[in-house]
Amino acid sequence: MSETPLRQRRGTLSRTADRQAPKGQQTKAAIVEAALGLATQIGLEGLSIGALAEVMQMSKSGVFAHFGSREELQISVVREYHTRFEDEVFYPAMSAARGLPRVRALFDNWMKRTSVEIDSGCIYISGAVEFDDRPGPVRDALASSVTTWQDAFKRAIEIAVEEGHFAPDTDASQVAFEIHGLILALHYEARFLRSPGCIHRALKGFDAILERNGARPTPARKT
């Protein structure tokens, strides 16, 4: 079964559910939307019931009633961010052929999202800084989301090995680690240092990783 129709059905069902959801659920979804926008700018730790109440033009008690705690609000934001990440990065790539084409599609989608988040911020990265040494449900939700994505990406690489698109002795975990490192370096170079040409360097680094593991370089892209 093609993944593209599946994704289209997911989107259609989601929009239908939003329209048919009780008013309370619609309000909660709108609060999460606003919270996600704030979190990309000021981080999960910057979220507060008071700030959201002001943005939503609601009372603090009205916002609190939908979540019960600031922690549950933060977790809801992490889950929403992960859902959007899947919809933009993972599911569109499932229409690509198994193996190297899918690995390339996953990385290209990841790069597209990263290019946007250079300006808006990435909750996976900012959240890791905020919660790396703070055990608890928010850290668990963040770590679970990142691990889910990393496992999916590593599995795509393993399939590429099985398909003969990489050398037989390719270490999928190492390849996934190095590619993740490119994304982290890109955020640092572009968002913090404002280094010119860093997107091109990330793409060049990706091609080098593929070539080193027995794959042919990706055709030149516009950057």
Side-chain angles (χ1 to χ4, degrees):
M1 180 184 296
S2 171
E3 293 287 348
T4 301
L6 173 61
R7 182 168 178 265
Q8 291 172 345
R9 287 199 297 275
R10 278 167 53 90
T12 301
L13 290 172
S14 176
R15 290 189 295 272
T16 302
D18 287 344
R19 290 194 299 267
Q20 295 178 348
K23 185 176 180 180
Q25 291 182 21
Q26 293 179 26
T27 301
K28 183 175 182 178
I31 295 172
V32 171
E33 174 82 20
L36 179 58
L38 283 176
T40 57
Q41 299 174 34
I42 61 177
L44 288 167
E45 270 298 273
L47 291 178
S48 70
I49 299 294
L52 276 174
E54 185 175 344
V55 169
M56 297 296 298
Q57 298 185 327
M58 296 173 61
S59 66
K60 290 183 181 179
S61 60
V63 173
F64 187 84
H66 287 281
F67 299 95
S69 70
R70 178 168 170 264
E71 186 176 79
E72 184 55 41
L73 169 64
Q74 292 170 320
I75 292 171
S76 295
V77 169
V78 171
R79 289 171 178 161
E80 178 63 20
Y81 181 86
H82 182 70
T83 296
R84 296 186 184 198
F85 187 93
E86 285 185 323
D87 286 344
E88 293 180 25
V89 178
F90 179 76
Y91 287 109
M94 292 302 100
S95 61
R98 285 166 54 90
L100 190 55
R102 189 170 295 177
V103 171
R104 284 182 167 141
L106 286 168
F107 181 75
D108 284 346
N109 293 344
W110 199 0
M111 281 292 294
K112 288 175 186 176
R113 185 175 176 92
T114 299
S115 298
V116 171
E117 289 181 334
I118 285 171
D119 294 322
S120 64
C122 172
I123 286 180
Y124 285 163
I125 294 175
S126 62
V129 174
E130 292 175 310
F131 292 91
D132 61 344
D133 59 351
R134 296 178 55 189
V138 179
R139 186 190 188 284
D140 291 345
L142 274 166
S144 176
S145 295
V146 173
T147 300
T148 297
W149 161 239
Q150 289 181 329
D151 287 347
F153 194 77
K154 185 177 75 171
R155 180 56 189 150
I157 296 167
E158 290 172 343
I159 292 173
V161 175
E162 294 167 5
E163 295 287 329
H165 299 163
F166 283 121
D169 61 348
T170 295
D171 184 340
S173 294
Q174 181 65 28
V175 173
F177 179 89
E178 292 179 16
I179 292 173
H180 189 202
L182 289 176
I183 296 293
L184 296 177
L186 174 58
H187 269 278
Y188 191 90
E189 291 280 337
R191 189 167 170 81
F192 179 55
L193 298 179
R194 308 293 180 184
S195 300
C198 51
I199 291 177
H200 173 72
R201 284 194 290 275
L203 294 171
K204 186 176 179 180
F206 176 70
D207 286 341
I209 293 170
L210 297 190
E211 188 173 9
R212 191 169 65 250
N213 287 279
R216 287 191 296 271
T218 304
R221 310 175 182 88
K222 294 181 180 181
T223 60

